[in-house]
Amino acid sequence: MATKSTDATAVERLGDGLAGVVERFMPSPFLFAIILTYVAYVAAIVVEGTGVFETVGFWYDGFWLFLTFAMQMVLILMTGFVVAYHPRVNGALRSLTRLPSDGKQAVVLVGFVAMALAWVHWGFSLIIGAIFAREMGKTAHENGIDVHYPILCVAGYMGLGLTWHWGLSGSAPLLIATPGNEFIELGVLDGVVPTSATVFSAYGLALTALSILFASLMLYLLAPTGDRAQGITEYVAEERLFDSAEADGGIDDPRAEPSGSPTPAERIDNSRLLGGLIALTGVAYVGYLFATQGLDALTLNVVNFGFLFVGLLVYTRPALYREKFGEAAEAAAGIILLFPFFAGIQGIMNFSGLSETIAEGLFAVSTPETFPVIAWITASIVNLFVPSGGGEWIVLGPSVLEAAGNLGVPAGQATMAYAVGDAHTNLLNPFWALPLLAITGIKAREMFGYAIAMLLLLTPFLAVVLYALPY
């Protein structure tokens, strides 16, 4: 529900106004994907002149185009979920919820943690951000602190809406850092572009730090206060919040051993020796890769491999770890359903040539100075239809990198500018918010008015930074 705007600042009134409109008109995430399918379908026929049945074929072919990448994305989410829901991690979050003394501070703290963690691991940030927002809402309710729950949930989502694609699990920088990637095969790159030229470059680090600071300020100004703040119990039934069965997110203490007299099979299933040994082997191998290759060892597969075995090392017992992955699967269910639909949209845009037409049209008017801004705008537009950073990069990457090469713009800078746009419009498309919605108990239409307000507030800042920040 929208808050009252009496005595609100201009920024608060912006969020309140958008919240009211979005609550009335925003469809569910699944219907959002269906509507975008129709839009892409009609656009391909009108702009590219493709046939009616031919375009349906593009849609079908797109459904199965990126199954490998889809599995990589599900693994990133699920490994992040399992680690984030560990009782020790969850307990640390509960301790942090006691730090803020008012609602604005609570929103900023959740947003800062989510954005900082997204630089490390987008799946970890999404789940931690959701749990942190929920726990912060509960603590605020218990302590009588006025905090608006929808913007608290947006704060927990800010990692996906801003910083994730510039960090250690960013699809585009990791893909171009992978030996033998498709861009080398296409001839648009002469060789790999190491993460020292993207994620760990002075440009990338400065972009991340400045964006986190500015976004934190905007969250502070946007958060309603006093009677305008609607707490968590306005959106989630109080008995659901404080049920003892949910006190730890449904996760049992991993230190507890199976009750009763275990069978030999149960002893093997719960062997800390077997689980710990293979976990240490996996973690040690990741350490070896970084020791021998430096930061250039960082690829999407290495990130997944590392977090998979870090999680096993945290839980130790194989049976318990498998059980937690079963719980994580529920959080990934929405993505598994929607990913083929958005892949189908991508198939329409890719095979019809619509994506390239959009990119080439924008890059045709760019200069070396404006190229980063144009790359950001291009990724922002296409991301509305294809909210898969890596999948979108596979389609747009050749156009982006070829145009950058023609203008003398470094591939690393072009990739990071593109990544900004890809992350930014996640604040408009609810696709990646599905796990957060499940954990926080809020509906997309209840929080996305404030997400769109953040998107608008960030737009002039990002335009200026991308234009002026030297590489």
Side-chain angles (χ1 to χ4, degrees):
M1 62 188 71
T3 60
K4 300 176 183 178
S5 58
T6 306
D7 300 326
T9 65
V11 175
E12 287 182 36
R13 287 197 297 272
L14 170 67
D16 182 61
L18 286 171
V21 173
V22 170
E23 279 192 49
R24 292 187 62 192
F25 296 105
M26 185 175 185
S28 69
F30 188 32
L31 188 58
F32 191 87
I34 292 173
I35 292 171
L36 287 180
T37 300
Y38 287 123
V39 172
Y41 178 81
V42 172
I45 294 172
V46 173
V47 176
E48 301 296 332
T50 59
V52 173
F53 293 106
E54 180 187 22
T55 309
V56 174
F58 295 157
W59 179 60
Y60 172 81
D61 291 340
F63 259 69
W64 322 116
L65 194 58
F66 300 121
L67 290 179
T68 298
F69 181 71
M71 184 61 182
Q72 289 174 320
M73 293 298 98
V74 169
L75 269 178
I76 279 184
L77 174 64
M78 293 178 69
T79 54
F81 183 102
V82 170
V83 175
Y85 253 137
H86 189 279
R88 294 188 186 90
V89 178
N90 193 251
L93 288 178
R94 291 184 185 182
S95 298
L96 287 176
T97 63
R98 303 186 187 98
L99 296 178
S101 58
D102 61 43
K104 286 184 177 288
Q105 291 178 14
V107 169
V108 170
L109 180 59
V110 171
F112 181 87
V113 169
M115 289 184 284
L117 285 178
W119 189 87
V120 178
H121 188 289
W122 71 262
F124 196 48
S125 168
L126 179 58
I127 304 306
I128 284 284
I131 298 171
F132 197 18
R134 181 184 173 99
E135 294 301 323
M136 186 69 80
K138 289 167 62 176
T139 298
H141 174 75
E142 292 172 322
N143 296 338
I145 295 174
D146 295 324
V147 61
H148 195 51
Y149 191 55
I151 195 171
L152 201 57
C153 295
V154 171
Y157 184 58
M158 282 305 300
L160 269 289
L162 196 61
T163 55
W164 82 270
H165 212 157
W166 322 340
L168 305 186
S169 61
S171 304
L174 292 187
L175 281 172
I176 63 173
T178 301
N181 64 73
E182 42 265 74
F183 305 114
I184 297 174
E185 295 176 0
L186 289 171
V188 294
L189 288 178
D190 295 329
V192 297
V193 179
T195 51
S196 57
T198 53
V199 174
F200 296 106
S201 66
Y203 180 84
L205 294 174
L207 185 63
T208 301
L210 291 171
S211 297
I212 290 176
L213 290 174
F214 184 82
S216 296
L217 175 61
M218 292 301 102
L219 286 170
Y220 183 88
L221 296 175
L222 191 62
T225 56
D227 63 354
R228 297 188 298 275
Q230 303 294 320
I232 189 171
T233 54
E234 296 290 332
Y235 301 89
V236 184
E238 191 165 351
E239 58 269 20
R240 285 182 55 198
L241 291 173
F242 300 102
D243 180 17
S244 59
E246 293 189 1
D248 60 357
I251 301 296
D252 299 325
D253 188 340
R255 293 167 294 184
E257 299 291 347
S259 59
S261 179
T263 65
E266 288 174 336
R267 290 193 184 95
I268 295 173
D269 286 344
N270 289 281
S271 171
R272 295 182 182 276
L273 176 62
L274 293 177
L277 182 61
I278 195 168
L280 284 171
T281 302
V283 172
Y285 187 72
V286 172
Y288 166 78
L289 290 176
F290 281 105
T292 55
Q293 301 177 33
L295 296 177
D296 294 341
L298 194 64
T299 65
L300 200 55
N301 286 337
V302 169
V303 169
N304 269 328
F305 188 86
F307 270 88
L308 186 67
F309 286 100
V310 164
L312 181 56
L313 187 62
V314 169
Y315 285 93
T316 310
R317 290 192 280 126
L320 180 61
Y321 193 46
R322 191 219 59 79
E323 178 186 335
K324 302 317 168 192
F325 255 80
E327 295 168 3
E330 184 177 350
I335 291 176
I336 294 170
L337 171 63
L338 264 68
F339 202 102
F341 279 87
F342 278 106
I345 296 171
Q346 180 165 304
I348 294 173
M349 299 189 70
N350 183 12
F351 299 131
S352 71
L354 191 57
S355 294
E356 288 83 351
T357 297
I358 294 172
E360 290 169 4
L362 289 167
F363 291 138
V365 298
S366 66
T367 65
E369 293 75 24
T370 62
F371 183 88
V373 177
I374 298 296
W376 161 57
I377 294 171
T378 302
S380 296
I381 294 171
V382 177
N383 186 56
L384 293 177
F385 297 89
V386 189
S388 160
E392 180 187 335
W393 180 241
I394 291 171
V395 176
L396 286 185
S399 297
V400 173
L401 295 172
E402 184 176 3
N406 292 338
L407 292 171
V409 176
Q413 182 183 16
T415 301
M416 295 301 281
Y418 155 85
V420 173
D422 174 72
H424 186 209
T425 42
N426 282 342
L427 292 169
L428 180 58
N429 191 327
F431 176 71
W432 290 112
L434 292 170
L436 179 139
L437 298 175
I439 291 169
T440 60
I442 202 167
K443 296 181 176 67
R445 59 183 176 83
E446 292 171 337
M447 66 171 274
F448 264 82
Y450 289 96
I452 294 170
M454 282 298 296
L455 181 144
L456 295 176
L457 291 169
L458 286 166
T459 296
F461 164 78
L462 292 174
V464 171
V465 169
L466 289 171
Y467 181 81
L469 187 65
Y471 181 75

